[in-house]
Amino acid sequence: MSTSSENTIRIYVMGSAYEVPRGLTIMNAMEHAGWRFTRGAGCRSGFCGACSTVYRHEGDYRLRFVLACQTEAEDGMYLVQLPFTPAPRVSYTLAELNPDENVLLQHYPEIARCVSCNTCTKACPQDIEVMDYVQAALRGDIAQTASLSFDCIQCGLCSMRCPADIKHYHMAQMARRIYGRYMSPITEHLEDRIAEIEKGVYEEELDALVKMTRSELEDIYAARVVE
Amino acid sequence: MRESIARVEATRPARLQDGPPPAMTPEEREKVLAEYHPDYKAEKKRELAIGVSAGNVVPSEVADMLEAHLLVDPAKIDLSRVDYDLDVLIIGGGGAGTVAAIFAHQEGIPAENILIVTKLRHGDCNSTMAQGGIQAADRPEDSPAIHYIDVMGGGHYANKPELVQAMVDDGPEIIRWHEELGVMYDKENGEYMEAHGGGTSRKRMHSCKDYTGKAIFNPIRDEARNLGIPTLEFSPVIELLLDGEGKAAGAITYNLETGEYRVIRAKATVLATGGFGRVHIQNFPTTNHYGATADGLVIAYRAGAKLLDMDSVQYHPTGVVYPSAILGQLATEKLRSQGAMPLNADGEAFVYPLEPRDVEAAAIIRECWSREKGIETPAGIRGVWLDTPMIDEIHGEGTIKDWLAAMWTMWNRHGIDITKDPALVYPTLHYQNGGVEIEADGETSVPGLFAGGEVEGGVHGKNRLMGNSLLGYNVFGRRAGIAAAKWAKKKKSKIKTLSLQHAVDFEQQLADAGIETDLQSPMLLPDYRSKSVLERSLGRFV
């Protein structure tokens, strides 16, 4: 039963009802109601995955998955936070891997248990096509796995929902690192510049700059040509 | 607001053709800063009365925190029972701390003799939230010397020269290290896609879409996990330990969940606790993570570490104003570096979009509160437009969704499509420019205590440029980790004495100076509970 007014809404935190002002994020609404987080709050800007939240609307059976810091609280939300995912990750030595099409399957064999139910995708608060990247990983397509999972913030909701117990986000992190190291070319001029610095090409110029007075530096700064 | 958006749309074709207004002259910059930048309000700061940097002027909120009572009476701590005996203790599980741990290990310290202690989770940090990019002078058109000039000018020449030299010199090597770790930098035809940031004279901003911080930090953390470096989470340090002779000797942690303290003895300590956004200087909202509460400054200052440039605070020019649910969250500078112009209520461009951050922020404040040309939200907050639809106009449809995905998603969650409508923004508290003074290898004025990342002072002078925080934490996290490892290796025997006498002495100095305060520090976490709850709180379980 909703009791919202013009300025307030009612939310249910783990079953208990609270009246809170309209227009707050779920996180701010819980704090307004008296919560002081240790777990369940991190960057507060949608980048860290600490505030994974599951809710359903009053009168609706469907569970929804969001970040508490990025989602406005609505009247009649039944809320619970899932601040930790007990998902094992596999250790590896990136420099010694053979980055072939089997590498992800070898380290995370459970991806072969995927039943294509798409529950992971529905659980993703970042709207990532999670099942598609698991399928890409199964095909050995590391580039596709890396690119589809790029926006992952490792909140773990996919793995909490998966009926096959796949550890999507750990596997995807590994895929992105393999792609970055082995499949994305190093820009040549980076190596050139490092060699120059090692040879001391800029040493004299920098040493001179370090010794300059403020007014000398001001003159150089004022004469800069902006590309 | 819709009427004002119509004016923005009306001026857009001409702005696309004419380009942005010219950059300010040095004199114009000084004038707008002096009149409108929050840092230039003398009444919002005061001198520190006690400690090694007594006489330094800092924001009043910081002074209050530094001149507060201890959180715990040292007499209650039993130092005879040591819980962890380490070579290198790392305080802070963000970017700088994790980098320091990896390089301390590479320098020969076994993983089990290193420990990262952190207040929240390993990775709850500002490093992971950075969006726009990381600077490194690697293009042929660029050089470390040009990077140096940009940094010094942006920092008002207050930066410590040898620290800037270290940063610009190490830059390209850091990018190569990231490549080895598998960071997915944006590339086109095998070349980095490098862009301008505010105050740069060359395009040297390397990015990973607008998730640059996360895309760099997560592989670094993943590597620390592969190396087996242990972490102790939800365990902030509440006091450093000294060895009785003024040298760093470890720390006391406090478990946020069980209330238990732990005694850590360490041959070397790296301070990597980040900044102070959650102290909300001058009541500004902040882009910072939940734990950014200046703890590192407090504990280091009590232990005798000098501070530098703590009078200057970075307000990011573009924090979110609307919707107010996400007030103060970051609208990345990359939006401006890709062409979005700040505009007033009449749709006029009033400032060069890529001034150094302090200048850009001051110009926006002037537009809202002096020229009265801001836009007011239904919540009564003023801001200016950031004309985001220009980005797709300039670079082609889909640019925002492909390369600024985090920004698109953030506003889209609240029903705002930034490919079609401009965003409303205003300065937000972003970065601690100064901090604990360091030397080029991260040494502080306390022997055996090294620092890196946002907690350090000296690299950025009075104003940090975009992309130099990610570079800075890598450069000085690495240097501090290596220096700490070398320091620890020189000490063959364990530290004999563990002491909190400096904390006891600090309490005495407070009393001697006649400072009366109810505050205790470190703050650990901000308190956002509503007034109505706090007024009736009995505080038994929370």
Side-chain angles (χ1 to χ4, degrees), chain B residues 453-516:
Chain B
E454 193 171 346
V455 74
E456 59 73 22
V459 178
H460 306 295
K462 306 287 187 196
N463 175 60
R464 176 178 66 76
L465 298 185
M466 171 195 185
N468 282 341
S469 57
L470 291 183
L471 180 58
Y473 92 64
N474 277 279
V475 167
F476 294 100
R478 170 171 172 255
R479 284 169 171 254
I482 292 170
K486 285 181 174 163
W487 178 275
K489 282 194 288 188
K490 274 192 288 184
K491 285 190 180 296
K492 297 296 172 206
S493 60
K494 282 176 185 162
I495 291 165
K496 291 183 188 67
T497 311
L498 295 179
S499 170
L500 280 166
Q501 188 58 40
H502 62 283
V504 176
D505 293 346
F506 197 86
E507 256 317 327
Q508 189 58 48
Q509 287 180 51
L510 277 179
D512 293 346
I515 294 168
E516 288 178 16

Side-chain angles (χ1 to χ4, degrees), chain A residues 89-144:
Chain A
R89 78 176 267 294
V90 180
S91 276
Y92 55 98
T93 305
L94 188 62
E96 291 166 13
L97 278 183
N98 177 13
D100 67 7
E101 66 277 7
N102 291 319
V103 65
L104 296 172
L105 192 59
Q106 278 164 0
H107 285 79
Y108 288 95
E110 66 273 18
I111 58 175
R113 290 161 45 97
C114 176
V115 294
S116 306
C117 67
N118 214 30
T119 308
C120 49
T121 304
K122 289 180 192 158
C124 180
Q126 289 284 84
D127 294 332
I128 292 168
E129 295 294 340
V130 185
M131 187 190 77
D132 289 359
Y133 83 60
V134 170
Q135 291 296 326
L138 267 173
R139 292 193 305 272
D141 189 340
I142 293 167
Q144 177 85 335

